[in-house]
């Protein structure tokens, strides 16, 4: 899923060609999977030097894929949603991770996102 979402970001010019390999390498060092009650989430990202404009790609996996747990690499969990972050400013990664952590703790939000029936690719600026 990291490769798939990374390619989507790359095709739109949001990340450099080094982004996917850098994100995968970072995940091997420090996994970003968060176990929740029913729907588990991963928040892969890498250093700002691999990013053009800041964006996030979201992937919903109908068939969950096992990933290592954040802070516990010997434990795998099935991941259902991946938020692939391309953060331009190094300090903004912490802020974005905090905002996403708050959002995914909202069970109604995460359930609605997981059960969404439409597939779309949109660009939002904020």
């Amino acid at each position: 899923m990291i490769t798939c979402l990374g390619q989507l970001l790359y095709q739109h010019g949001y990340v450099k060609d080094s982004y996917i390999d850098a994100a995968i390498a970072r995940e091997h060092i420090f996994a970003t999977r968060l176990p929740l009650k029913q729907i588990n989430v991963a928040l892969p990202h890498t250093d700002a030097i691999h990013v053009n404009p800041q964006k996030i790609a979201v992937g919903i996996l109908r068939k969950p894929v096992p990933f290592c747990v954040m802070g516990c690499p010997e434990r795998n969990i099935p991941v259902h949603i991946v938020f692939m972050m391309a953060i331009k400013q190094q300090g903004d990664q912490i802020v974005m991770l905090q905002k996403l952590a708050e959002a995914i703790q909202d069970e109604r939000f995460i359930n609605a996102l997981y059960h969404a029936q439409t597939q779309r690719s949109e660009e939002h600026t904020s």
Side-chain angles (χ1 to χ4, degrees):
M1 183 50 78
I2 291 173
T3 299
C4 179
L5 291 175
Q7 287 174 342
L8 179 66
L9 290 167
Y10 179 71
Q11 289 168 356
H12 285 82
Y14 301 139
V15 297
K16 298 174 182 169
D17 62 355
S18 59
Y19 179 83
I20 295 170
D21 289 339
I24 291 170
R26 188 191 180 288
E27 286 297 309
H28 286 296
I29 294 168
F30 190 77
T32 59
R33 281 70 178 194
L34 299 173
L36 301 173
K37 290 183 180 180
Q38 295 178 7
I39 299 171
N40 299 311
V41 174
L43 306 167
H45 59 284
T46 192
D47 297 325
I49 61 169
H50 304 285
V51 177
N52 292 323
Q54 182 164 294
K55 297 293 175 186
I56 296 177
V58 179
I60 299 170
L61 304 167
R62 298 299 176 208
K63 293 181 182 176
V65 177
F67 286 107
C68 296
V69 176
M70 183 183 294
C72 189
E74 66 280 354
R75 183 172 163 233
N76 286 330
I77 60 169
V79 167
H80 303 84
I81 300 175
V82 177
F83 291 90
M84 186 79 179
M85 300 184 296
I87 308 298
K88 184 63 180 162
Q89 299 298 320
Q90 196 67 30
D92 289 349
Q93 287 182 354
I94 301 287
V95 173
M96 183 57 68
L97 285 168
Q98 289 172 334
K99 288 181 179 182
L100 281 173
E102 286 178 26
I104 63 176
Q105 295 300 318
D106 180 342
E107 287 185 52
R108 288 190 328 205
F109 165 74
I110 210 72
N111 278 315
L113 181 61
Y114 181 71
H115 292 98
Q117 296 296 311
T118 57
Q119 178 181 358
R120 61 185 173 194
S121 175
E122 292 184 13
E123 181 174 332
H124 294 281
T125 55
S126 50

